[in-house]
Amino acid sequence: MRILLRLCLVTVLLLLSAVLARADGFGGVDLMTSTVMQKHQSSFSGLAARARLSSTSIVEGFELSPFVEYWRTSTTVDPPDVTVSRKDATLGVGVNYRFHRSGWQPYVGGGLGVHFLSSKVNAPGLGIDDRSDSVTRGGLYGLVGAGVPLSDHVQNFIEVEYHHLPDVSQLKVNMGIGWKP
């Protein structure tokens, strides 16, 4: 599994270096917090960051957006002393289109993400001692959002993002702050 993880990371880094080599301009960076709703789960929080790269070789308004997302949730039931935890680290790249308007700025986007999912269960009272499972899955995602400028360089934004993964699809409501040069 570690070899697969390293291979995926090297592949993503190579893809990002190719994207950066073709990009004419750094469009900015976004930091966000997410409310994640996964199938058969209650909602929980996550963190994410993405870069925005623009290029004159692409139609104006389009941005390439490499990103990383992470969430973790854990539940303990006492008694019978059961602890369950799940986490997901996602690396991906997408294309966003920003509509040109004054004031608030709507955008839509989509792309691909590689999800590194893992689960862990510890229930000694039930005869289950530290069992874990990990899986790597790729999936499509789409988003729609709007940014509200605070200054020439800073904006707040809110967006809804959907990651399509068999049996573990995720709907996220993201809020954050973005910076552009």
Side-chain angles (χ1 to χ4, degrees), residues 10-167:
V10 168
T11 302
V12 168
L13 289 175
L14 288 173
L15 288 172
L16 287 177
S17 66
V19 167
L20 289 171
R22 301 260 322 152
D24 295 334
F26 176 70
V29 64
D30 297 329
L31 302 173
M32 65 194 93
T33 182
S34 302
T35 299
V36 182
M37 292 158 275
Q38 190 174 26
K39 191 175 181 180
H40 308 298
Q41 294 276 311
S42 59
S43 63
F44 42 88
S45 296
L47 298 171
R50 73 175 161 230
R52 289 182 273 124
L53 308 170
S54 59
S55 174
T56 55
S57 64
I58 300 175
V59 178
E60 186 178 342
F62 282 92
E63 299 173 329
L64 297 171
S65 296
F67 66 90
V68 60
E69 297 178 343
Y70 178 80
W71 59 258
R72 180 182 185 279
T73 183
S74 182
T75 303
T76 301
V77 178
D78 203 19
D81 193 25
V82 175
T83 302
V84 177
S85 65
R86 300 188 71 199
K87 58 185 173 181
D88 180 10
T90 305
L91 296 173
V93 65
V95 176
N96 296 340
Y97 179 76
R98 293 186 178 271
F99 298 93
H100 295 286
R101 300 178 34 109
S102 61
W104 67 280
Q105 189 175 46
Y107 56 92
V108 296
L112 299 169
V114 178
H115 293 256
F116 302 93
L117 300 154
S118 68
S119 302
K120 184 176 180 181
V121 177
N122 186 27
L126 300 174
I128 302 171
D129 293 323
D130 286 328
R131 289 197 188 156
S132 62
D133 183 41
S134 297
V135 66
T136 303
R137 292 191 178 166
L140 298 173
Y141 82 93
L143 65 85
V144 60
V148 179
L150 300 176
S151 72
D152 289 341
H153 301 287
V154 179
Q155 73 168 2
N156 280 340
F157 63 89
I158 186 165
E159 61 191 28
V160 176
E161 183 177 350
Y162 177 75
H163 288 249
H164 179 69
L165 299 165
D167 299 324

